[in-house]
Amino acid sequence: INIHLRTIKAMFRYYWKRERLNKVPMVEQIKVEESVPIYITDDEFQSIMETEWLDGFYKRIIFFYRETGCRLREPFMSILDGNWLDIPNLSKGKKPRSIELNKSLIEIYNELMVWYKSCGLTDQGEHISKMFKKCLRSIGASEGKHFHSLRHTFAVRRIVENVPIYK
């Protein structure tokens, strides 16, 4: 709801600045308690990697997302420049950023891009997300965990390594 309310507030400010409104109506967002990150434990990740029915391609993709902290659709809008994955400001954060990839992550990224261009799905991200959710169910993980939990896992792992959260 707050995402929509924020959009409405921005629209009102836009019209006010262009003198289409005399004043900006008050729009209050709903107070939400801070939530703890929902991450994939090492045991859960290992169980996913040992799942027999899951194709090796999906295992590599899940590993890629856990190691890079990318949002679901970011690799598909990014450009690989040497060892750097450049993510434009088209993503949710609206800030461009770059992620340094090692050789194995570059190989996985290239494999993902070949699949992306050839698979013929209308929403490749949704497909990957559903496969991941299926994995979580098969290992008995909490229903509260989702694909975005891989991004939280990346962040939690970096905090444990004493990397500043903004990096």
Side-chain angles (χ1 to χ4, degrees):
I1 291 173
N2 281 339
I3 292 171
H4 298 299
L5 291 174
R6 187 172 57 229
T7 303
I8 292 167
K9 284 172 67 172
M11 180 190 69
F12 283 147
R13 283 193 308 273
Y14 173 85
Y15 285 122
W16 176 73
K17 286 180 181 178
R18 281 150 187 80
E19 298 178 355
R20 305 260 188 210
L21 289 174
N22 295 330
K23 72 179 203 176
V24 177
M26 174 69 87
V27 176
E28 288 188 44
Q29 292 181 280
I30 298 169
K31 292 190 181 207
V32 179
E33 290 183 33
E34 285 190 32
S35 58
V36 296
I38 300 169
Y39 63 94
I40 308 300
T41 67
D42 288 342
D43 288 341
E44 289 169 331
F45 183 78
Q46 189 60 39
S47 294
I48 291 169
M49 293 296 116
E50 293 171 356
T51 302
E52 290 184 22
W53 61 265
L54 185 63
D55 183 82
F57 168 76
Y58 292 103
K59 291 177 182 180
R60 290 187 295 280
I61 298 307
I62 291 167
F63 174 79
F64 175 86
Y65 280 97
R66 184 187 78 154
E67 294 303 305
T68 61
C70 283
R71 290 181 176 93
L72 180 59
R73 290 173 178 82
E74 285 179 339
F76 308 125
M77 65 178 71
S78 302
I79 296 170
L80 186 61
D81 182 13
N83 291 347
W84 293 90
L85 185 64
D86 295 329
I87 301 169
N89 63 348
L90 303 172
S91 186
K92 181 181 175 187
K94 303 292 184 212
K95 293 180 184 177
R97 67 183 201 286
S98 297
I99 301 170
E100 188 173 17
L101 303 180
N102 60 33
K103 185 180 176 182
S104 66
L105 291 175
I106 291 171
E107 289 173 6
I108 296 169
Y109 173 78
N110 287 330
E111 183 181 11
L112 177 60
M113 290 303 99
V114 168
W115 174 82
Y116 172 68
K117 292 172 184 171
S118 67
C119 72
L121 295 170
T122 56
D123 189 349
Q124 293 85 347
E126 184 179 343
H127 173 75
I128 293 170
S129 179
K130 285 181 179 180
M131 286 296 287
F132 183 69
K133 191 67 173 178
K134 186 176 175 182
C135 290
L136 291 174
R137 286 188 182 118
S138 75
I139 65 165
S142 164
E143 279 295 315
K145 295 186 180 190
H146 303 280
F147 189 85
H148 195 76
S149 300
L150 290 169
R151 185 168 165 80
H152 289 197
T153 303
F154 170 81
V156 168
R157 290 167 56 96
R158 293 308 154 297
I159 289 170
V160 169
E161 295 170 356
N162 291 323
V163 174
I165 191 69
Y166 293 103
K167 286 196 171 209

